[in-house]
Amino acid sequence: MKWKKQILSLTPYQPGRSIDQVKRQYGLDKIVKLASNENPFGCSQKVADRIEKLSFALYPDGYATGLRESLSQHLKVDSGQLIFGNGSDELIMMISRALLKPGTNTVMAAPTFPQYKHNAVIEGSDVKEVPLINGAHDLDGMLAAIDENTAVVWVCSPNNPTGAYIKDGALRSFVQQVPKDVLIVLDEAYYEYVDAEDYYDSISLIESFENLIVLRTFSKIYGLASFRSGYGIAQKTIIDALEPVREPFNLNSLAQAASIAALEDQKFIQNCKKANREGLKLYYKFCEKHNLSYYPSQGNFILIDFGLDGNDVFQYLLERGYIVRSGQALGFPTSVRITVGSTEQNEEIIEKLEMMVTENSIKKAL
Ligand SMILES: *Cc1c(COP(=O)(O)O)cnc(C)c1O
């Protein structure tokens, strides 16, 4: 076969272990998954009511008309300024497919969300990774890395896996300096969790910059990860250029209906945001008590450096019924990323972590 040769060097996405697998392997009857930044409170009750009434035999609305109208009102943007994806993952793929090819390069932070690099490699583009500084994007370093062959620059804010965000002034100045023919992708998967006062208003930035697209998702605070629903917001010229790359029926009917219903229940979103803030405080307190370094997070997860092999911490928690993400796979080998759960889940996992750190060594604890 005449495969693209770069595909042969890639590994497929490694899904975390399923709850059922872990239950069986360790003989546990309760498992708490805090590994993928899903919403511990599920989704709005309105979602279940709405999707019951759908006809499954018909193709979905390829223009997502209802969701488009709801979102354009919610965000106060024109309906032509939106594009939908089978999760924002698919938008990352569409952008890469539309702009990246051999001879181009793309600039991103490292470590950051891995799908930017993965898709760039598939398209045969060079990847320029600019190391984070204290968990945050080095925007000056990223500007310096942009050259005449750069097609896309990726900015993840709040950044996964550190939770660091970019301040208003810094982002504005960055966006102003990026050449107009380079697409800036601002991935805001955790936007709804942000409470920093000096966070920028990305929607207003879109009005001034024709080379900016903002990505958001229904997978995180909206609690609809299984439906695969994400969207991009940009000036119409960018949306129009990307539309031919989109599969005609990429957003299925269930995802469309569920997203509309979820959007209507902003009370639920505010409650989740508040609970997340409270949850984060518990982890901060734990870290400070034990002198563990962590990044203050604007997302619904926290990266904690235990000074131990992240895989060992992962294993320790797994055997006690908690699935988290080892920092080994995230570029932080001595850390673990934990999704903020419900109050009860946070208290329980912190209790296990207390036991782990007060043991003399993790080996003894294991
Ligand atoms: C979870 C996540 C996504 C993917 O979201 P989907 O809409 O579920 O594909 C994109 N970017 C970042 C930074 C994420 O953490």
Side-chain angles (χ1 to χ4, degrees):
M1 290 306 159
K2 297 170 187 172
W3 301 113
K4 291 180 172 179
K5 69 173 186 312
Q6 62 272 25
I7 288 180
L8 306 174
S9 68
L10 290 175
T11 45
Y13 178 75
Q14 299 294 317
R17 250 171 284 189
S18 81
I19 290 182
D20 280 343
Q21 274 174 324
V22 176
K23 269 188 190 165
R24 254 179 284 133
Q25 191 174 354
Y26 298 102
L28 298 162
D29 42 50
K30 191 185 111 184
I31 302 288
V32 177
K33 183 168 175 262
L34 298 174
S36 303
N37 305 341
E38 293 134 332
N39 188 336
F41 306 106
C43 66
S44 165
Q45 182 51 44
K46 287 177 188 265
V47 170
D49 303 342
R50 197 72 54 88
I51 59 181
E52 250 177 48
K53 303 184 186 85
L54 290 178
S55 158
F56 296 159
L58 300 179
Y59 275 103
D61 174 352
Y63 194 62
T65 313
L67 178 57
R68 187 179 293 275
E69 280 170 9
S70 299
L71 255 186
S72 82
Q73 280 170 22
H74 178 71
L75 299 170
K76 302 188 175 61
V77 298
D78 199 81
S79 60
Q81 289 185 268
L82 296 168
I83 185 166
F84 294 94
N86 192 248
S88 45
D89 274 349
E90 197 198 21
L91 290 160
I92 295 168
M93 184 174 88
M94 289 178 342
I95 290 165
S96 303
R97 191 168 178 201
L99 287 155
L100 301 179
K101 60 188 175 196
T104 66
N105 70 60
T106 182
V107 174
M108 63 192 69
T112 188
F113 191 58
Q115 290 303 310
Y116 316 143
K117 181 175 181 178
H118 188 87
N119 281 282
V121 170
I122 291 174
E123 301 303 339
S125 167
D126 283 337
V127 175
K128 293 191 179 191
E129 295 179 280
V130 180
L132 298 175
I133 298 177
N134 282 329
H137 281 52
D138 172 10
L139 294 177
D140 289 336
M142 291 175 73
L143 277 174
I146 293 173
D147 63 25
E148 69 278 10
N149 296 320
T150 304
V152 181
V153 52
W154 307 86
V155 178
C156 186
S157 175
N159 188 42
N160 183 357
T162 58
Y165 72 106
I166 299 168
K167 292 186 165 73
D168 183 30
L171 186 79
R172 268 173 201 282
S173 139
F174 174 79
V175 170
Q176 262 157 12
Q177 291 175 74
V178 172
K180 293 290 161 269
D181 60 351
V182 173
L183 182 67
I184 305 162
V185 182
L186 181 57
D187 184 346
E188 292 191 319
Y190 301 96
Y191 167 76
E192 298 84 358
Y193 283 110
V194 170
D195 76 344
E197 273 167 17
D198 51 0
Y199 196 78
Y200 46 82
D201 175 4
S202 45
I203 306 291
S204 80
L205 277 179
I206 285 168
E207 285 167 29
S208 327
F209 296 95
E210 59 193 19
N211 58 333
L212 175 66
I213 185 165
V214 172
L215 304 186
R216 293 193 189 161
T217 180
F218 285 97
S219 296
K220 302 288 160 57
I221 207 169
Y222 284 97
L224 300 180
S226 75
F227 285 103
R228 314 304 303 124
S229 179
Y231 58 97
I233 320 155
Q235 287 193 14
K236 195 168 176 301
T237 45
I238 297 206
I239 302 297
D240 290 349
L242 284 172
E243 271 291 336
V245 182
R246 186 177 65 80
E247 274 185 74
F249 303 110
N250 63 332
L251 195 66
N252 70 69
S253 306
L254 289 161
Q256 294 184 31
S259 302
I260 294 170
L263 201 57
E264 285 167 11
D265 196 350
Q266 290 299 318
K267 181 105 199 336
F268 175 79
I269 301 303
Q270 287 313 313
N271 290 342
C272 293
K273 177 176 177 175
K274 194 157 159 272
N276 182 63
R277 276 293 124 206
E278 296 303 313
L280 276 171
K281 281 188 204 150
L282 293 179
Y283 290 92
Y284 295 164
K285 215 172 105 196
F286 161 78
C287 291
E288 277 147 26
K289 177 173 166 196
H290 296 283
N291 237 331
L292 299 171
S293 72
Y294 66 93
Y295 295 112
S297 176
Q298 287 291 317
N300 66 335
F301 54 87
I302 181 164
L303 189 69
I304 302 176
D305 189 348
F306 288 92
L308 300 164
D309 185 330
N311 288 348
D312 287 345
V313 178
F314 166 84
Q315 188 63 28
Y316 179 92
L317 291 169
L318 188 69
E319 290 173 15
R320 286 155 183 82
Y322 298 86
I323 311 178
V324 300
R325 233 349 134 79
S326 166
Q328 284 281 5
L330 303 173
F332 291 90
T334 58
S335 297
V336 157
R337 192 192 67 196
I338 304 171
T339 302
V340 177
S342 64
T343 308
E344 189 193 359
Q345 292 170 338
N346 297 328
E347 283 170 353
E348 282 175 12
I349 195 172
I350 287 172
E351 204 175 292
K352 305 288 177 218
L353 290 169
E354 289 274 358
M355 288 196 283
M356 188 189 79
V357 297
T358 47
E359 298 274 346
N360 282 337
S361 78
I362 188 151
K363 294 289 177 225
K364 205 166 125 198
L366 275 168

